[in-house]
């Protein structure tokens, strides 16, 4: 301050260094091209299909870079699970360059370029550089994405009353695209051909310091897209094992802004919940949610997961999912959600069986109750819900190991998922481990071995003492009626009434006799009075 006063007093002009310091920092950052000797990315970790997308776009005259979390993972020596590409080509131009490419999304229009088929297929997500527009420049709508659907149809940049971005499809230069990304470590661009990393917001430095930092004002960025709250948790969980931590300003607004998630569509929250649980860091994500005060209130089904995560069965299922992802094996959301809701289904099933209901109807009713209470209309009634039902309804069928039942169960498309579920139940002591071991051996055995296994089970069952079958008392039964106590009921059935008294509380319903059809259809009036004795014409014809 004194030096500035003296300089001003003697009329000295400020030096170029002082003037530079007073220049307002650009919100778009400063471009830095980082060579391979500094970033050290191993090109062998780059997926060849992502490389092909970049090469095809560049050959067509466009800019193209691998971007986002894939660059972050490459920097820390991890093999990325997914690869995203950013380009200055519009979605329509990208689609024309690839045989199997589809434009998806309304809020953010992107292109999915698909390689391979079936379970082995891979999707490379290609997005166009977006302009960095202030919320004040956007068109504002009063409702949300669903209620304002017709109003949003022609808009490229729109926000709701809270500032949440509902449309962001204005294309711009690369530096503006970097500024609109969320965290500095996710805002770097990598060209696998030149091996240059383009960095605008010191993402390289933050990656080396192991800091998770939001670009811009965190409160404003969370308001623009509240799902960034969940993304922050996911990144922290994934990178915590490597020593990454939040910058104080980035983590400070998380808890107080949790309420903004109430305006996010349920389907989008459902997808984000699956990402939390299926990216190989489910247990770490749950710990992060608890530590940040976000254990409840994000999504109802996620609340169930956090609450029950310490229960042996679900904890084992989450741990097993993390292991499979780490080994590069596929994981199905239907299997994991089956594990999440199993305690509700199991308890409801047990209550119904205790009341004397039959096994499968009781299980189906318990499943319906669990869906209605915990999932509702989001994905619970589609293919995901169907797969979950198949996994659950297979469980009592595993108990049947004689006859043709094992063969028919083995042919079910979801057999492996059902068996893996049985295996988890055995590991937690819910069923006998011998049952899971038997099915593991049966599923890999030859036909003659399978036949011998089934025969061994049949012989073992024959040696067990058979318990007498008991009849379940009907809730609306008429055991107190006079007809129920008549001995003629037992006599008609060829069994004394005392036998029924030993097996249950009421006698079975009386069998109906079939009425003999009258032979003479020419005289319908005579047939009414001759149901007990045949007519002479009928006797002679026989």
């Amino acid at each position: 301050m004194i030096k500035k006063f003296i300089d001003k007093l003697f009329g000295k002009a400020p030096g170029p260094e002082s003037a530079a310091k007073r220049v307002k920092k650009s919100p778009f950052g400063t471009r830095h091209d980082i060579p391979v000797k500094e970033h050290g990315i191993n090109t062998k970790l780059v997926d060849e299909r992502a490389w092909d997308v970049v090469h095809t776009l560049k050959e067509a005259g466009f800019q193209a870079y691998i971007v986002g979390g894939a660059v972050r993972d490459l920097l820390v020596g991890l093999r990325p699970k997914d690869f995203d590409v950013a380009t200055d080509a519009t979605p329509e131009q990208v689609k024309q360059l690839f045989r199997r490419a589809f434009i998806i999304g309304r809020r953010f229009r992107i292109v999915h370029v698909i390689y391979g088929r079936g379970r082995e297929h891979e999707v490379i997500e290609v997005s166009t550089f977006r302009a960095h527009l202030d919320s004040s420049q956007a068109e504002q709508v009063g409702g949300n994405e669903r209620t304002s659907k017709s109003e949003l149809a022609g808009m490229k940049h729109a926000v709701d009353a809270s500032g949440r971005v509902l449309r962001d499809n204005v294309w711009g230069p690369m530096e503006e695209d970097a500024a609109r990304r969320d965290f500095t470590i996710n805002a770097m661009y990598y060209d696998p051909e030149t091996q240059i990393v383009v960095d605008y917001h010191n993402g390289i430095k933050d990656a080396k310091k192991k800091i998770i930092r939001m670009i811009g004002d965190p409160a404003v960025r969370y308001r623009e897209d509240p799902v960034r709250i969940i993304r922050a948790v996911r990144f922290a969980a994934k990178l915590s094992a490597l020593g990454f931590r939040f910058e104080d300003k980035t983590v400070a607004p998380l808890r107080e802004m949790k309420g903004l998630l109430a305006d996010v569509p349920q389907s989008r929250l459902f997808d984000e919940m699956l990402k939390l649980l299926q990216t190989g860091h489910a247990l770490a994500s749950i710990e992060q949610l608890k530590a940040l005060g976000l254990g409840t209130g994000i999504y109802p089904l996620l609340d169930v997961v956090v609450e029950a995560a310490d229960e042996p069965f679900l904890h084992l299922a989450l741990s097993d999912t993390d292991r499979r992802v780490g080994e590069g094996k596929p994981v199905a959301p239907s299997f994991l959600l089956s594990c999440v809701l199993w305690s509700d289904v199991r308890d409801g099933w047990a209550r119904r069986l205790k009341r004397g209901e039959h096994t499968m109807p009781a299980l189906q009713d318990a499943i319906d109750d669990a869906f209605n209470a915990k999932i509702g209309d989001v994905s619970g009634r589609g293919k995901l819900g169907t797969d979950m039902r198949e996994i659950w309804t297979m469980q009592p069928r595993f108990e049947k190991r004689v006859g043709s039942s094992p063969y028919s169960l083995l042919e079910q498309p979801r057999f492996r998922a059902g068996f893996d579920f049985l295996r988890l139940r055995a590991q937690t002591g819910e069923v006998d481990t011998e049952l899971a071991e038997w099915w593991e051996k049966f599923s890999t055995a030859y036909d003659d071995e399978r036949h011998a296994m089934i025969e061994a089970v049949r012989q073992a069952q024959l040696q067990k003492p058979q318990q007498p079958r008991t009849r379940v008392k009907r809730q609306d039964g008429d055991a107190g009626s006079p007809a129920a106590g008549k001995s003629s009921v037992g006599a008609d059935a060829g069994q004394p009434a005392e036998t029924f008294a030993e097996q249950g509380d009421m006698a079975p319903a009386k069998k109906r006799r079939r009425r003999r059809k009258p032979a003479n259809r020419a005289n319908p009036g005579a047939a009414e009075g001759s149901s007990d004795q045949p007519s002479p014409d009928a006797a002679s014809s026989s």
Side-chain angles (χ1 to χ4, degrees):
M1 291 293 294
I2 295 175
K3 187 177 185 301
K4 288 182 180 179
F5 175 75
I6 294 173
D7 289 343
K8 187 176 182 181
L9 185 66
F10 288 96
K12 289 184 178 180
E17 185 178 344
S18 300
K21 287 181 179 179
R22 290 200 299 270
V23 174
K24 188 176 180 181
K25 187 179 179 180
S26 170
F28 306 133
T30 303
R31 174 168 176 151
H32 298 283
D33 289 356
I34 313 297
V36 65
K37 64 180 181 180
E38 291 186 35
H39 62 68
I41 290 178
N42 183 1
T43 55
K44 292 181 180 179
L45 297 176
V46 180
D47 188 283
E48 61 180 9
R49 286 158 284 202
W51 200 312
D52 180 68
V53 170
V54 170
H55 178 74
T56 302
L57 287 165
K58 290 179 70 175
E59 269 203 331
F62 300 107
Q63 299 181 67
Y65 299 87
I66 294 172
V67 71
V71 182
R72 176 200 66 222
D73 290 349
L74 289 169
L75 280 172
V76 297
L78 299 176
R79 184 180 296 275
K81 185 174 181 291
D82 301 304
F83 282 85
D84 298 337
V85 171
T87 178
D88 58 349
T90 65
E92 290 75 16
Q93 290 171 328
V94 174
K95 188 176 187 301
Q96 291 175 359
L97 293 174
F98 298 93
R99 185 171 61 87
R100 297 180 64 205
F102 305 91
I103 298 175
I104 67 166
R106 296 188 183 94
R107 185 169 177 269
F108 300 118
R109 294 181 70 230
I110 58 177
V111 180
H112 277 179
V113 179
I114 301 175
Y115 290 84
R117 295 183 181 277
R119 289 189 175 184
E120 301 302 321
H121 83 285
E122 182 177 354
V123 176
I124 305 297
E125 193 171 281
V126 183
S127 61
T128 304
F129 295 149
R130 286 175 169 78
H132 183 272
L133 299 177
D134 191 82
S135 296
S136 61
Q137 299 174 286
E139 299 177 84
Q140 185 170 319
V141 297
N144 54 36
E145 290 166 275
R146 180 175 295 180
T147 59
S148 306
K149 188 175 180 180
S150 58
E151 189 179 355
L152 288 165
M155 296 183 181
K156 292 186 176 180
H157 187 217
V159 298
D160 64 10
S162 68
R164 182 166 66 95
V165 178
L166 303 181
R167 289 290 185 274
D168 188 6
N169 293 305
V170 181
W171 319 132
M174 183 175 170
E175 61 267 22
E176 294 190 21
D177 184 75
R180 58 162 291 281
R181 294 183 179 272
D182 44 22
F183 303 101
T184 59
I185 56 175
N186 290 341
M188 293 175 284
Y189 302 75
Y190 175 59
D191 183 345
E193 295 187 339
T194 63
Q195 297 191 49
I196 294 293
V197 171
V198 181
D199 183 10
Y200 288 92
H201 299 279
N202 298 316
I204 291 280
K205 291 182 179 179
D206 285 345
K208 290 180 178 178
K209 293 179 181 178
K210 299 184 178 180
I211 293 177
I212 302 174
R213 188 194 312 272
M214 179 69 75
I215 298 173
D217 183 356
V220 174
R221 304 308 304 279
Y222 291 136
R223 192 174 290 110
E224 288 175 350
D225 185 5
V227 169
R228 285 179 176 143
I229 296 170
I230 307 176
R231 285 166 58 84
V233 174
R234 179 155 52 89
F235 295 147
K238 180 175 183 177
L239 300 173
S240 60
L242 299 174
F244 278 76
R245 58 181 177 82
F246 279 115
E247 178 212 21
D248 291 341
K249 291 181 180 179
T250 299
V251 75
L254 283 177
R255 185 181 300 184
E256 63 185 63
M257 292 202 156
K258 180 177 65 174
L260 296 172
L261 291 165
D263 295 327
V264 177
Q266 292 288 292
S267 57
R268 193 168 176 223
L269 289 178
F270 184 82
D271 291 340
E272 289 297 327
M273 179 198 70
L274 291 181
K275 289 178 182 178
L276 272 180
L277 303 178
Q278 288 192 263
T279 53
H281 309 278
L283 292 174
S285 295
I286 292 169
E287 291 304 315
Q288 283 288 334
L289 288 169
K290 292 178 179 178
L292 296 170
L294 303 174
T296 59
I298 290 181
Y299 186 71
L301 196 55
L302 184 59
D303 293 350
V304 176
V305 178
V306 175
E307 181 182 355
D310 292 331
E311 294 181 2
F313 182 82
L314 183 54
H315 189 276
L316 183 61
L318 293 170
S319 177
D320 195 58
T321 300
D322 288 348
R323 177 189 60 79
R324 289 182 63 86
V325 174
E327 294 174 355
K329 296 179 179 178
V331 291
S334 57
F335 181 84
L336 184 57
L337 292 181
S338 298
C339 296
V340 171
L341 293 181
W342 175 240
S343 61
D344 294 308
V345 173
R346 180 188 59 211
D347 295 346
W349 187 24
R351 286 194 301 270
R352 287 169 171 82
L353 291 177
K354 191 175 181 180
R355 291 200 298 260
E357 297 184 23
H358 292 292
T359 300
M360 292 308 294
L363 179 56
Q364 293 286 3
D365 289 345
I367 292 171
D368 289 339
D369 286 350
F371 271 129
N372 294 333
K374 298 294 173 64
I375 290 188
D377 294 332
V378 180
S379 299
R381 298 295 184 265
K383 184 181 184 305
L384 181 63
T386 301
D387 290 346
M388 293 168 66
R389 287 175 182 273
E390 287 185 10
I391 291 172
W392 286 326
T393 53
M394 278 186 197
Q395 300 311 302
R397 296 179 63 187
F398 282 113
E399 303 285 348
K400 300 178 181 179
R401 293 181 288 166
V402 294
S404 61
S405 295
Y407 293 102
S408 60
L409 184 57
L410 199 62
E411 293 173 357
Q412 295 297 315
R414 302 285 300 165
F415 168 79
R416 191 67 206 182
F419 169 73
D420 286 341
F421 196 90
L422 176 73
R423 181 175 51 82
L424 290 179
R425 293 176 65 205
Q427 288 178 322
T428 55
E430 200 174 299
V431 295
D432 196 336
T433 55
E434 184 273 334
L435 181 65
E437 291 170 357
W438 189 92
W439 278 100
E440 175 71 31
K441 183 179 179 181
F442 184 81
S443 64
T444 58
Y446 293 105
D447 288 342
D448 54 344
E449 293 176 313
R450 290 175 178 174
H451 178 74
M453 291 174 68
I454 292 174
E455 181 62 21
V457 172
R458 190 181 73 85
Q459 292 297 332
Q461 290 182 355
L462 288 175
Q463 293 176 5
K464 290 182 179 180
Q466 299 295 316
Q467 296 182 354
R469 297 178 61 185
T470 58
R471 292 182 180 272
V472 178
K473 184 175 181 179
R474 290 163 52 188
Q475 299 292 331
D476 56 346
D478 54 355
S481 63
K486 291 183 179 179
S487 60
S488 60
V489 175
D492 288 338
Q495 189 173 4
E498 293 79 13
T499 306
F500 289 99
E502 293 175 1
Q503 294 181 349
D505 294 332
M506 64 169 291
K510 184 177 180 179
K511 290 186 178 180
R512 295 182 59 187
R513 288 186 176 182
R514 296 178 61 186
R515 293 186 62 184
R516 174 181 273 176
K517 292 182 180 179
N520 186 8
R521 293 187 177 273
N523 186 8
E528 284 185 30
S530 59
S531 59
D532 292 332
Q533 292 182 349
S535 64
D537 293 337
S540 61
S541 64
S542 61

